[in-house]
Amino acid sequence: MKNKWLVRFLMISVGVLLAACNESDRGGSGVKNLASVEDVEWKSHGLTTDEQRFSPLVQIDRNNVSELGLTWSFDMYTRRGVEATPLMINRTLYVSGSWSMVYALDAVSGELKWFFDPKVDRSFLSKGCCDAVNRGVAFHDGKIFVATYDGRLVALDADSGDVVWDVQTTDRDQSYTITGAPRVAKGKIVIGNGGAELGVRGYVSAYEADTGEMAWRFYTVPGNPADGFENEAMRMAAKTWTGKWWQWGGGGTVWDSMVYDPELELLYVGVGNGSPWNQKIRSPEGGDNLFLSSIVAVRPDTGEYVWHYQTTPSETWDYTSTQHIMLADLEIDGQERKVVMQAPKNGFFYVIDRVTGELISAENYAHVTWATHVDLETGRPVETPNARVFDGKNVTLPSNAGAHNWPPMSYNPDTGLVYIPTMVFPVRFLEPTEEKDMKPNQGLWNVGFDRIVNVPPAIAQLDAILEKEYTGSLLAWDPIAQKAHWQLKPGRPTGGGTLSTAGQLVFQGGKTSHFSAYDAQSGDELWTLDVQTGAMAAPITYSIDGEQYIATAVGFGGGMAAEGGAVAHAWKVPNISRVLVFKLGGVKQLPPVPDREKPLPKPAVVSASADVVEQGKVVFHRHCAYCHGDGFRTGGVTPDLRYSGEVIHKMWDQIVLDGILSGAGMVSFSEFVTKDESEAIRQYVLSEANRLYDGKHIVQ
Ligand code: CA
């Protein structure tokens, strides 16, 4: 392992030596010029093709990290979630913000070089589950590639930001969105999409980097057999489905992780949950439902299927396997094995042979209620008797949010540990009672469970529950022994992505509004800074003119702010979308936190009966709360409806039923909500606004 690390370091360092030689060749004045030192870049999403996110840079280490300080910051132009891993190429930091906007910044000074706004149609907000976030751009041959929330893949000139090509990768009439970072595989740009909560069929596509011409497309779940299958893999997969699944889309979207393995010439694709989640509705007679919740290996030239490993057969809990896939060569039982590692939502850490797809080992890295273990003979999980009890009382762990979600892990070959941002987020599932929730629909959230059971209690009780039940912590996991090496004391379930360095440090945002550095071996916190907002994205590190920098994009939002709004709200973390760059001795201070709380005029009186208000509460939590927050606790990204002014109340039905604000992402709910129910929701909003009004604000 040590040797492998050395090879990586030498590969990256060879440029340093070459640059130094060139400098002396030029003769020069004999004055040592630090500018001649070759810069160490961060050229692709996971740094190297194995996506270990382990940097060989050692200037910042355990002894001096306490001297780390901000050197520059850049405020993005939006106030939604930020999830991007930046890239650093040729002294330029390329980072994407919400609405798929791209910022090219001078990596030393933070000065804006260019900005690209793909002008995403804002009505697409209602086509996605989890905010208009973007997890990063790709770089290849002088071009930057960004995938947009409305389903396009755009190639930009890396120097100027000019559009080279712009192609639509999805059907705009369906609920496809893209939040993931494209990957580069053998000169092709590969991209998936999202939308499995809203009735789509997942796939991944590859485009020629030069022209934007589509090279191939691989569907992850079968379509209607009557239309014929695209390939043998789909014919095989269809045998594991029952009923008329295609009417529901099927799901299986590839919304985040993909890794290209140049050694084996394979592309590993992480496949998501079923659409709808509830398998009894989606595939009523059961079946494994391939390739949901699987890692699938395909050929990067053709998209041809090679192997798959399914982490969660008969998926029904939103247990995606879209989480970070990492490649490594590990010595297991005296043998060097080429593996992929993944800690998907379902709570088990998988080590899989990446030549064959065979399971090597799997152990739970978090508390799991749905399965006792994974049987290594069959490669399948052994479910508990209460795994599929959806009575609204049975607590399921991990929740649909997962024990680990999209925030990337990192690996340190020296410690042999994988650093995983983990979460505990208990959930209760309830079978739907309304006929309309059991019918396929395209375009609106429908997962086949009734979310009314997850309405949170009053905030005072909530705080106590949060402390106890909703937690998160950074976990250092030994993938060979399959056990925890250390785990931080549980805090709030924030779980930002991680970065590992040869300085034996782990960097992570999270812990409410802090960004911190930990000792890779012991987990001791060595440095922390309040960055005023939630830091969810993974940091990177690079070196320019011999000086090492740590960079991260911050800004709370995303799925945790939308779906987990109640919890998010209790963190009291605002969204400040910003790029932060640190170095040893950095002295820049952040500006004061802006006061964005607007005073509220006295809410109008409730004119309906208590019964109507109660009905409004039920309908609100069934159809509105996944964006507007359980109990209106929105996590700061969508409007808190209790602050709705007179104008909004006057236009209520036009907004809810006619969709006049669809341009801002609030589409018509007339298919789900009657005129009476719309009014009941309004009365519930007024009732809650009045109940907690102190003359100026809503008091929690
Ligand atoms: Ca999902």
Side-chain angles (χ1 to χ4, degrees):
M1 261 187 288
K2 267 271 198 258
N3 286 343
K4 179 145 198 256
W5 178 89
L6 193 65
V7 169
R8 292 161 55 95
F9 181 71
L10 288 174
M11 280 167 68
I12 295 173
S13 307
V14 73
V16 179
L17 297 173
L18 286 174
C21 291
N22 288 340
E23 187 63 20
S24 49
D25 286 351
R26 283 199 289 270
S29 60
V31 176
K32 270 196 181 169
N33 182 3
L34 269 181
S36 67
V37 176
E38 184 86 350
D39 299 337
V40 177
E41 303 181 314
W42 188 290
K43 271 185 160 164
S44 71
H45 193 64
L47 180 58
T48 44
T49 47
D50 52 26
E51 300 218 359
Q52 292 180 1
R53 293 174 177 263
F54 174 74
S55 168
L57 291 173
V58 293
Q59 191 177 74
I60 300 168
D61 64 18
R62 288 180 284 200
N63 296 320
N64 61 20
V65 69
S66 59
E67 293 158 34
L68 202 61
L70 191 69
T71 182
W72 61 263
S73 67
F74 175 86
D75 283 15
M76 294 178 175
Y77 306 154
T78 56
R79 271 195 223 160
R80 306 195 77 93
V82 175
E83 300 187 352
T85 299
L87 302 186
M88 202 295 281
I89 300 137
N90 193 21
R91 305 171 75 96
T92 307
L93 201 68
Y94 298 97
V95 59
S96 54
S98 54
W99 295 117
S100 333
M101 293 172 181
V102 184
Y103 305 80
L105 302 160
D106 183 296
V108 173
S109 69
E111 191 189 332
L112 183 70
K113 291 185 169 182
W114 54 257
F115 167 67
F116 172 68
D117 179 358
K119 303 212 167 16
V120 170
D121 176 349
R122 298 301 193 261
S123 72
F124 271 69
L125 196 58
S126 61
K127 290 178 184 274
C129 70
C130 305
D131 199 4
V133 294
N134 190 282
R135 287 185 213 91
V137 299
F139 171 79
H140 178 69
D141 199 17
K143 290 194 268 297
I144 292 290
F145 302 89
V146 63
T148 69
Y149 199 65
D150 55 358
R152 291 138 59 201
L153 184 63
V154 184
L156 304 168
D157 182 286
D159 291 330
S160 64
D162 293 344
V163 174
V164 182
W165 50 258
D166 181 340
V167 296
Q168 186 70 38
T169 73
T170 56
D171 175 355
R172 291 179 74 92
D173 292 335
Q174 294 189 52
S175 287
Y176 284 108
T177 51
I178 306 182
T179 55
R183 301 301 202 282
V184 182
K186 291 193 83 179
K188 294 179 174 59
I189 311 302
V190 190
I191 191 66
N193 45 57
E197 274 67 44
L198 298 98
V200 304
R201 180 187 178 199
Y203 59 85
V204 56
S205 327
Y207 292 82
E208 301 296 346
D210 291 342
T211 60
E213 192 189 333
M214 190 168 88
W216 53 259
R217 175 162 291 172
F218 178 81
Y219 283 94
T220 53
V221 294
N224 186 348
D227 298 337
F229 297 110
E230 288 86 359
N231 50 46
E232 279 309 306
M234 284 299 101
R235 189 183 305 280
M236 168 180 83
K239 292 185 181 132
T240 67
W241 290 73
T242 56
K244 294 182 176 175
W245 71 87
W246 58 89
Q247 295 185 351
W248 293 89
T253 51
V254 181
W255 57 263
D256 195 44
S257 193
M258 297 179 286
V259 187
Y260 170 54
D261 178 352
E263 198 183 346
L264 299 182
E265 290 208 356
L266 290 175
L267 176 75
Y268 312 103
V269 170
V271 182
N273 56 277
S275 181
W277 297 351
N278 191 337
Q279 198 202 17
K280 281 189 210 159
I281 296 173
R282 184 183 73 232
S283 182
E285 306 303 317
D288 284 354
N289 294 178
L290 293 173
F291 295 104
L292 295 181
S293 308
S294 302
I295 296 174
V296 183
V298 300
R299 300 257 177 241
D301 293 313
T302 57
E304 185 196 348
Y305 164 90
V306 180
W307 60 253
H308 77 275
Y309 176 78
Q310 188 174 42
T311 62
T312 316
S314 313
E315 195 292 300
T316 197
W317 307 269
D318 189 18
Y319 285 163
T320 60
S321 281
T322 52
Q323 281 60 46
H324 185 174
I325 299 168
M326 186 189 279
L327 314 186
D329 294 349
L330 299 182
E331 195 182 306
I332 297 171
D333 295 333
Q335 256 190 303
E336 174 123 319
R337 303 286 299 261
K338 295 184 187 310
V339 307
V340 294
M341 301 192 279
Q342 191 187 43
K345 278 186 184 180
N346 76 11
F348 289 95
F349 189 97
Y350 295 87
V351 178
I352 298 161
D353 185 313
R354 69 177 193 267
V355 181
T356 61
E358 177 207 352
L359 177 69
I360 296 172
S361 63
E363 286 295 336
N364 61 306
Y365 65 92
H367 188 69
V368 169
T369 62
W370 71 279
T372 55
H373 64 287
V374 179
D375 183 331
L376 294 184
E377 288 296 310
T378 62
R380 297 173 69 90
V382 178
E383 289 188 17
T384 56
N386 66 350
R388 292 169 193 265
V389 174
F390 304 130
D391 59 359
K393 298 187 188 89
N394 181 39
V395 173
T396 298
L397 277 172
S399 76
N400 52 298
H404 167 230
N405 207 311
W406 64 267
M409 324 183 284
S410 61
Y411 176 64
N412 181 330
D414 297 335
T415 61
L417 299 172
V418 180
Y419 302 93
I420 315 169
T422 67
M423 296 190 287
V424 181
F425 210 100
V427 70
R428 295 160 184 84
F429 292 102
L430 179 64
E431 298 279 4
T433 47
E434 293 192 31
E435 189 64 26
K436 61 189 174 190
D437 290 332
M438 287 177 262
K439 280 196 225 139
N441 65 76
Q442 252 282 343
L444 285 173
W445 178 285
N446 187 349
V447 298
F449 288 112
D450 195 330
R451 65 191 316 288
I452 189 71
V453 284
N454 292 305
V455 178
I459 202 82
Q461 292 164 285
L462 183 66
D463 260 345
I465 291 170
L466 285 172
E467 289 293 333
K468 218 169 57 217
E469 290 187 15
Y470 294 78
T471 62
S473 67
L474 179 59
L475 168 67
W477 186 260
D478 180 338
I480 295 174
Q482 284 281 18
K483 62 177 191 194
H485 186 74
W486 55 257
Q487 182 156 21
L488 296 186
K489 191 169 156 284
R492 293 275 161 89
T494 41
T498 70
L499 160 71
S500 286
T501 73
Q504 302 312 321
L505 294 168
V506 182
F507 290 89
Q508 190 200 24
K511 233 185 69 176
T512 57
S513 62
H514 279 69
F515 182 64
S516 312
Y518 302 94
D519 184 318
Q521 189 59 246
S522 67
D524 291 343
E525 185 183 277
L526 301 176
W527 172 81
T528 190
L529 185 76
D530 187 343
V531 294
Q532 306 177 343
T533 183
M536 311 187 294
I540 66 161
T541 185
Y542 56 89
S543 151
I544 292 179
D545 301 339
E547 190 155 40
Q548 186 183 355
Y549 297 82
I550 305 288
T552 193
V554 296
F556 187 67
M560 288 296 277
E563 241 197 296
V567 182
H569 189 97
W571 298 339
K572 298 179 178 65
V573 176
N575 177 293
I576 299 174
S577 298
R578 199 174 257 166
V579 181
L580 301 173
V581 178
F582 306 91
K583 66 175 186 178
L584 294 176
V587 291
K588 190 176 187 292
Q589 297 292 316
L590 286 171
V593 180
D595 180 12
R596 290 180 183 153
E597 199 174 359
K598 51 177 190 205
L600 176 70
K602 184 163 172 37
V605 292
V606 178
S607 55
S609 68
D611 282 354
V612 169
V613 170
E614 187 56 31
Q615 184 202 7
K617 179 180 177 180
V618 171
V619 180
F620 173 87
H621 284 94
R622 199 161 272 153
H623 298 296
C624 319
Y626 57 80
C627 288
H628 288 285
D630 292 330
F632 302 107
R633 296 155 193 144
T634 65
V637 173
T638 31
D640 178 338
L641 294 182
R642 296 169 299 186
Y643 279 83
S644 303
E646 207 183 325
V647 178
I648 298 289
H649 279 283
K650 272 201 179 127
M651 294 161 59
W652 195 265
D653 279 356
Q654 287 168 276
I655 297 168
V656 175
L657 304 175
D658 303 341
I660 60 163
L661 291 185
S662 64
M666 172 62 199
V667 294
S668 163
F669 276 73
S670 59
E671 215 176 307
F672 294 88
V673 173
T674 65
K675 195 167 163 50
D676 285 350
E677 286 173 333
S678 169
E679 176 59 14
I681 296 167
R682 197 179 76 83
Q683 294 290 338
Y684 169 55
V685 169
L686 283 175
S687 158
E688 284 298 288
N690 276 290
R691 187 168 71 83
L692 299 169
Y693 187 61
D694 75 345
K696 204 174 170 197
H697 297 115
I698 302 281
V699 182
Q700 298 295 351

